[in-house]
Amino acid sequence: MPRKRRELYNKEICACSIFGAMNKDGERFNAAGVMRAIANMHVRGNGLGGGFAAYGIYPQYRDYYAFHLMFNGKTLQSQISAKAEFEQYLNQRFDVVYDEEIPHRPQTQLRDPPLIWRYFASPRKRGEDSRLSDDEYVVRTVMHTNSRAEDAYIFSSGMNMGCFKGVGYPEEIGEYFMLDQLYSAYAWTAHGRFPTNTQAWWGGAHPFSLLDTSVVHNGEISSYGTNRWYLEMYGYACTLQTDTEVIAYAADLLLRRQRIPMEIVAKILAPPIWNAIDTMNEKEKKLFTTLRMVYGPLLMNGPFAIIIGQTGRLIGLTDRIRLRPITAATKGEMFYLSSEEASIRLISPELDSVWTPSGGEPVICELNSRRV
């Protein structure tokens, strides 16, 4: 076989890899199995982005927001300068109880790792800010930092959870941050990236996170411009150079700020086509017509499969005609979501149940709940 043709068969050029695992009893486990599972989908990536989100990893600081920061200056001195400037801003708005450089392997082949730090802090609100909820206060801090601060980027800001990501294969990112040695979580998500039309940089890797909501995504959001315009009206600053960012912010807007149930959120992001709405009974037709009218700019066009992590639950969702794959499975109290069934069976060979969710229908697993 000619070399160029053989190379085409050696790459999966249409799909990233996503994986999620959750123990419904809340028992924590390290990332070793998740790292093996996402590495099993190695050919879906090309080493330009990988990452993990983990829930329940900071029990000793469970009442504090955990900020994970990247300082992306081209030199160590510029990174240190950006860190000092950010800390001056942070200390004006929060009480920081502990901070440290996020542990990592000192020797690495990863490309241009930035200075990565974490801070555990509680809001210190004054004046008009006193009227804001703590979560909204944190969101505004994140938006201000990511849109205005020089060489500083908040990529994780939830309580008792954290994201770890960078430029590399996901298994390399897991090894770099020693996720299989230093952390135990009741839920993990992971992503291996094959970029389509966005550049490779540490902040552009998945997951994308705001507060305790994290998103890993396979596909491409062709409606990014419209989605971004709508979210910016609500104060979200889309600065991270990728379409996946709008999914995380849309999830925050709908689930946290507007308190819409996930089953309805799914019908906003991946609604039925108009021909299907026309065949519904009058009650359903009214509901879905209203959702399309009110939230039309949040409709996500294009192929996608996503896993949304939040405190206490994992959610899987595909586009309405299922152009990107996702598989769900259970074994005892373990729940899995993956781009490929093989990755689930690699770490859990005997499953109680395994299925392919319908397009546009969310699969929801909740902590301490039998409902999946």
Side-chain angles (χ1 to χ4, degrees), residues 310-332:
Q310 291 187 314
T311 298
R313 65 177 179 173
L314 287 185
I315 302 160
L317 179 68
T318 66
D319 63 83
R320 55 192 174 187
I321 55 176
R322 209 173 64 199
L323 292 172
R324 288 293 183 267
I326 196 168
T327 297
T330 63
K331 174 62 177 179

PDB file of all heavy atoms in Angstrom, residues 310-332:
ATOM      1  N   GLN A 310     -20.573  17.470  36.753  1.00  0.00           N
ATOM      2  CA  GLN A 310     -20.961  18.415  37.795  1.00  0.00           C
ATOM      3  C   GLN A 310     -20.853  17.716  39.140  1.00  0.00           C
ATOM      4  O   GLN A 310     -20.786  16.482  39.198  1.00  0.00           O
ATOM      5  CB  GLN A 310     -22.395  18.921  37.582  1.00  0.00           C
ATOM      6  CG  GLN A 310     -22.573  19.818  36.373  1.00  0.00           C
ATOM      7  CD  GLN A 310     -23.964  20.426  36.319  1.00  0.00           C
ATOM      8  OE1 GLN A 310     -24.960  19.746  36.514  1.00  0.00           O
ATOM      9  NE2 GLN A 310     -24.033  21.728  36.056  1.00  0.00           N
ATOM     10  N   THR A 311     -20.862  18.485  40.204  1.00  0.00           N
ATOM     11  CA  THR A 311     -20.826  17.885  41.525  1.00  0.00           C
ATOM     12  C   THR A 311     -22.000  16.922  41.669  1.00  0.00           C
ATOM     13  O   THR A 311     -23.148  17.326  41.572  1.00  0.00           O
ATOM     14  CB  THR A 311     -20.892  18.963  42.615  1.00  0.00           C
ATOM     15  OG1 THR A 311     -19.750  19.821  42.501  1.00  0.00           O
ATOM     16  CG2 THR A 311     -20.919  18.332  43.996  1.00  0.00           C
ATOM     17  N   GLY A 312     -21.687  15.644  41.828  1.00  0.00           N
ATOM     18  CA  GLY A 312     -22.732  14.656  42.069  1.00  0.00           C
ATOM     19  C   GLY A 312     -23.337  14.021  40.848  1.00  0.00           C
ATOM     20  O   GLY A 312     -24.224  13.163  40.990  1.00  0.00           O
ATOM     21  N   ARG A 313     -22.873  14.359  39.633  1.00  0.00           N
ATOM     22  CA  ARG A 313     -23.475  13.697  38.474  1.00  0.00           C
ATOM     23  C   ARG A 313     -22.616  13.818  37.219  1.00  0.00           C
ATOM     24  O   ARG A 313     -21.799  14.732  37.089  1.00  0.00           O
ATOM     25  CB  ARG A 313     -24.870  14.252  38.193  1.00  0.00           C
ATOM     26  CG  ARG A 313     -24.954  15.704  37.779  1.00  0.00           C
ATOM     27  CD  ARG A 313     -26.414  16.046  37.474  1.00  0.00           C
ATOM     28  NE  ARG A 313     -26.586  17.429  37.086  1.00  0.00           N
ATOM     29  CZ  ARG A 313     -27.739  17.940  36.630  1.00  0.00           C
ATOM     30  NH1 ARG A 313     -28.801  17.157  36.514  1.00  0.00           N
ATOM     31  NH2 ARG A 313     -27.825  19.202  36.304  1.00  0.00           N
ATOM     32  N   LEU A 314     -22.831  12.854  36.314  1.00  0.00           N
ATOM     33  CA  LEU A 314     -22.272  12.871  34.971  1.00  0.00           C
ATOM     34  C   LEU A 314     -23.419  12.825  33.971  1.00  0.00           C
ATOM     35  O   LEU A 314     -24.421  12.133  34.189  1.00  0.00           O
ATOM     36  CB  LEU A 314     -21.354  11.673  34.719  1.00  0.00           C
ATOM     37  CG  LEU A 314     -19.981  11.630  35.380  1.00  0.00           C
ATOM     38  CD1 LEU A 314     -19.218  10.405  34.880  1.00  0.00           C
ATOM     39  CD2 LEU A 314     -19.185  12.888  35.099  1.00  0.00           C
ATOM     40  N   ILE A 315     -23.241  13.553  32.864  1.00  0.00           N
ATOM     41  CA  ILE A 315     -24.279  13.648  31.847  1.00  0.00           C
ATOM     42  C   ILE A 315     -23.652  13.397  30.485  1.00  0.00           C
ATOM     43  O   ILE A 315     -22.620  13.995  30.155  1.00  0.00           O
ATOM     44  CB  ILE A 315     -24.940  15.043  31.852  1.00  0.00           C
ATOM     45  CG1 ILE A 315     -25.534  15.353  33.228  1.00  0.00           C
ATOM     46  CG2 ILE A 315     -26.008  15.155  30.757  1.00  0.00           C
ATOM     47  CD1 ILE A 315     -25.762  16.836  33.473  1.00  0.00           C
ATOM     48  N   GLY A 316     -24.254  12.537  29.694  1.00  0.00           N
ATOM     49  CA  GLY A 316     -23.821  12.313  28.326  1.00  0.00           C
ATOM     50  C   GLY A 316     -24.887  12.798  27.359  1.00  0.00           C
ATOM     51  O   GLY A 316     -26.080  12.632  27.604  1.00  0.00           O
ATOM     52  N   LEU A 317     -24.450  13.410  26.247  1.00  0.00           N
ATOM     53  CA  LEU A 317     -25.404  13.937  25.267  1.00  0.00           C
ATOM     54  C   LEU A 317     -24.745  13.981  23.899  1.00  0.00           C
ATOM     55  O   LEU A 317     -23.584  14.377  23.770  1.00  0.00           O
ATOM     56  CB  LEU A 317     -25.851  15.355  25.659  1.00  0.00           C
ATOM     57  CG  LEU A 317     -26.841  16.053  24.714  1.00  0.00           C
ATOM     58  CD1 LEU A 317     -28.198  15.352  24.742  1.00  0.00           C
ATOM     59  CD2 LEU A 317     -26.994  17.530  25.101  1.00  0.00           C
ATOM     60  N   THR A 318     -25.499  13.572  22.869  1.00  0.00           N
ATOM     61  CA  THR A 318     -25.039  13.703  21.493  1.00  0.00           C
ATOM     62  C   THR A 318     -25.953  14.651  20.733  1.00  0.00           C
ATOM     63  O   THR A 318     -27.028  15.013  21.207  1.00  0.00           O
ATOM     64  CB  THR A 318     -25.037  12.350  20.759  1.00  0.00           C
ATOM     65  OG1 THR A 318     -26.392  11.885  20.618  1.00  0.00           O
ATOM     66  CG2 THR A 318     -24.216  11.320  21.509  1.00  0.00           C
ATOM     67  N   ASP A 319     -25.494  15.044  19.541  1.00  0.00           N
ATOM     68  CA  ASP A 319     -26.362  15.847  18.682  1.00  0.00           C
ATOM     69  C   ASP A 319     -27.602  15.030  18.313  1.00  0.00           C
ATOM     70  O   ASP A 319     -27.655  13.817  18.478  1.00  0.00           O
ATOM     71  CB  ASP A 319     -25.602  16.293  17.427  1.00  0.00           C
ATOM     72  CG  ASP A 319     -25.165  15.123  16.568  1.00  0.00           C
ATOM     73  OD1 ASP A 319     -25.984  14.630  15.776  1.00  0.00           O
ATOM     74  OD2 ASP A 319     -24.003  14.694  16.698  1.00  0.00           O
ATOM     75  N   ARG A 320     -28.604  15.701  17.792  1.00  0.00           N
ATOM     76  CA  ARG A 320     -29.923  15.088  17.637  1.00  0.00           C
ATOM     77  C   ARG A 320     -29.957  13.951  16.618  1.00  0.00           C
ATOM     78  O   ARG A 320     -30.863  13.109  16.670  1.00  0.00           O
ATOM     79  CB  ARG A 320     -30.948  16.160  17.245  1.00  0.00           C
ATOM     80  CG  ARG A 320     -30.592  16.949  16.015  1.00  0.00           C
ATOM     81  CD  ARG A 320     -31.489  18.166  15.868  1.00  0.00           C
ATOM     82  NE  ARG A 320     -31.066  19.027  14.762  1.00  0.00           N
ATOM     83  CZ  ARG A 320     -31.591  20.215  14.509  1.00  0.00           C
ATOM     84  NH1 ARG A 320     -32.548  20.680  15.300  1.00  0.00           N
ATOM     85  NH2 ARG A 320     -31.171  20.934  13.498  1.00  0.00           N
ATOM     86  N   ILE A 321     -28.993  13.901  15.693  1.00  0.00           N
ATOM     87  CA  ILE A 321     -28.963  12.771  14.764  1.00  0.00           C
ATOM     88  C   ILE A 321     -27.734  11.891  14.983  1.00  0.00           C
ATOM     89  O   ILE A 321     -27.387  11.076  14.148  1.00  0.00           O
ATOM     90  CB  ILE A 321     -29.049  13.235  13.292  1.00  0.00           C
ATOM     91  CG1 ILE A 321     -27.956  14.257  12.965  1.00  0.00           C
ATOM     92  CG2 ILE A 321     -30.415  13.802  12.992  1.00  0.00           C
ATOM     93  CD1 ILE A 321     -27.961  14.669  11.497  1.00  0.00           C
ATOM     94  N   ARG A 322     -27.067  12.072  16.091  1.00  0.00           N
ATOM     95  CA  ARG A 322     -26.011  11.192  16.590  1.00  0.00           C
ATOM     96  C   ARG A 322     -24.887  11.014  15.580  1.00  0.00           C
ATOM     97  O   ARG A 322     -24.538   9.895  15.195  1.00  0.00           O
ATOM     98  CB  ARG A 322     -26.603   9.842  16.988  1.00  0.00           C
ATOM     99  CG  ARG A 322     -25.824   9.137  18.098  1.00  0.00           C
ATOM    100  CD  ARG A 322     -26.540   7.908  18.561  1.00  0.00           C
ATOM    101  NE  ARG A 322     -26.648   6.907  17.521  1.00  0.00           N
ATOM    102  CZ  ARG A 322     -27.520   5.898  17.523  1.00  0.00           C
ATOM    103  NH1 ARG A 322     -28.375   5.805  18.522  1.00  0.00           N
ATOM    104  NH2 ARG A 322     -27.538   5.023  16.553  1.00  0.00           N
ATOM    105  N   LEU A 323     -24.293  12.122  15.189  1.00  0.00           N
ATOM    106  CA  LEU A 323     -23.185  12.080  14.247  1.00  0.00           C
ATOM    107  C   LEU A 323     -21.851  11.751  14.912  1.00  0.00           C
ATOM    108  O   LEU A 323     -20.866  11.497  14.226  1.00  0.00           O
ATOM    109  CB  LEU A 323     -23.084  13.408  13.495  1.00  0.00           C
ATOM    110  CG  LEU A 323     -24.239  13.700  12.531  1.00  0.00           C
ATOM    111  CD1 LEU A 323     -24.134  15.115  11.987  1.00  0.00           C
ATOM    112  CD2 LEU A 323     -24.268  12.694  11.398  1.00  0.00           C
ATOM    113  N   ARG A 324     -21.807  11.820  16.226  1.00  0.00           N
ATOM    114  CA  ARG A 324     -20.620  11.412  16.971  1.00  0.00           C
ATOM    115  C   ARG A 324     -21.035  10.359  17.996  1.00  0.00           C
ATOM    116  O   ARG A 324     -22.092  10.462  18.618  1.00  0.00           O
ATOM    117  CB  ARG A 324     -19.955  12.608  17.663  1.00  0.00           C
ATOM    118  CG  ARG A 324     -19.251  13.559  16.709  1.00  0.00           C
ATOM    119  CD  ARG A 324     -18.041  12.902  16.070  1.00  0.00           C
ATOM    120  NE  ARG A 324     -17.310  13.807  15.202  1.00  0.00           N
ATOM    121  CZ  ARG A 324     -17.508  13.924  13.889  1.00  0.00           C
ATOM    122  NH1 ARG A 324     -18.445  13.191  13.300  1.00  0.00           N
ATOM    123  NH2 ARG A 324     -16.786  14.760  13.165  1.00  0.00           N
ATOM    124  N   PRO A 325     -20.206   9.329  18.200  1.00  0.00           N
ATOM    125  CA  PRO A 325     -20.623   8.182  19.015  1.00  0.00           C
ATOM    126  C   PRO A 325     -20.458   8.413  20.505  1.00  0.00           C
ATOM    127  O   PRO A 325     -19.573   9.136  20.955  1.00  0.00           O
ATOM    128  CB  PRO A 325     -19.666   7.079  18.550  1.00  0.00           C
ATOM    129  CG  PRO A 325     -18.411   7.823  18.176  1.00  0.00           C
ATOM    130  CD  PRO A 325     -18.884   9.129  17.580  1.00  0.00           C
ATOM    131  N   ILE A 326     -21.325   7.769  21.267  1.00  0.00           N
ATOM    132  CA  ILE A 326     -21.143   7.669  22.718  1.00  0.00           C
ATOM    133  C   ILE A 326     -21.818   6.385  23.184  1.00  0.00           C
ATOM    134  O   ILE A 326     -22.877   6.004  22.677  1.00  0.00           O
ATOM    135  CB  ILE A 326     -21.704   8.906  23.458  1.00  0.00           C
ATOM    136  CG1 ILE A 326     -21.156   8.968  24.887  1.00  0.00           C
ATOM    137  CG2 ILE A 326     -23.228   8.908  23.473  1.00  0.00           C
ATOM    138  CD1 ILE A 326     -21.422  10.287  25.585  1.00  0.00           C
ATOM    139  N   THR A 327     -21.163   5.713  24.111  1.00  0.00           N
ATOM    140  CA  THR A 327     -21.675   4.463  24.680  1.00  0.00           C
ATOM    141  C   THR A 327     -21.783   4.624  26.182  1.00  0.00           C
ATOM    142  O   THR A 327     -20.900   5.215  26.816  1.00  0.00           O
ATOM    143  CB  THR A 327     -20.733   3.285  24.352  1.00  0.00           C
ATOM    144  OG1 THR A 327     -20.693   3.094  22.945  1.00  0.00           O
ATOM    145  CG2 THR A 327     -21.204   2.004  25.015  1.00  0.00           C
ATOM    146  N   ALA A 328     -22.866   4.118  26.761  1.00  0.00           N
ATOM    147  CA  ALA A 328     -23.066   4.144  28.206  1.00  0.00           C
ATOM    148  C   ALA A 328     -23.068   2.710  28.734  1.00  0.00           C
ATOM    149  O   ALA A 328     -23.479   1.774  28.028  1.00  0.00           O
ATOM    150  CB  ALA A 328     -24.382   4.837  28.555  1.00  0.00           C
ATOM    151  N   ALA A 329     -22.618   2.536  29.973  1.00  0.00           N
ATOM    152  CA  ALA A 329     -22.559   1.195  30.552  1.00  0.00           C
ATOM    153  C   ALA A 329     -22.565   1.286  32.071  1.00  0.00           C
ATOM    154  O   ALA A 329     -22.223   2.329  32.649  1.00  0.00           O
ATOM    155  CB  ALA A 329     -21.303   0.452  30.082  1.00  0.00           C
ATOM    156  N   THR A 330     -22.959   0.188  32.706  1.00  0.00           N
ATOM    157  CA  THR A 330     -22.921   0.096  34.166  1.00  0.00           C
ATOM    158  C   THR A 330     -22.310  -1.234  34.587  1.00  0.00           C
ATOM    159  O   THR A 330     -22.406  -2.244  33.882  1.00  0.00           O
ATOM    160  CB  THR A 330     -24.334   0.203  34.779  1.00  0.00           C
ATOM    161  OG1 THR A 330     -25.131  -0.899  34.325  1.00  0.00           O
ATOM    162  CG2 THR A 330     -25.001   1.504  34.401  1.00  0.00           C
ATOM    163  N   LYS A 331     -21.673  -1.219  35.736  1.00  0.00           N
ATOM    164  CA  LYS A 331     -21.178  -2.414  36.401  1.00  0.00           C
ATOM    165  C   LYS A 331     -21.245  -2.169  37.896  1.00  0.00           C
ATOM    166  O   LYS A 331     -20.468  -1.370  38.445  1.00  0.00           O
ATOM    167  CB  LYS A 331     -19.742  -2.730  35.975  1.00  0.00           C
ATOM    168  CG  LYS A 331     -19.118  -3.893  36.744  1.00  0.00           C
ATOM    169  CD  LYS A 331     -19.871  -5.198  36.519  1.00  0.00           C
ATOM    170  CE  LYS A 331     -19.179  -6.350  37.231  1.00  0.00           C
ATOM    171  NZ  LYS A 331     -19.921  -7.634  37.038  1.00  0.00           N
ATOM    172  N   GLY A 332     -22.217  -2.825  38.577  1.00  0.00           N
ATOM    173  CA  GLY A 332     -22.406  -2.540  39.990  1.00  0.00           C
ATOM    174  C   GLY A 332     -22.728  -1.076  40.185  1.00  0.00           C
ATOM    175  O   GLY A 332     -23.647  -0.533  39.569  1.00  0.00           O
TER     176      GLY A 332
END
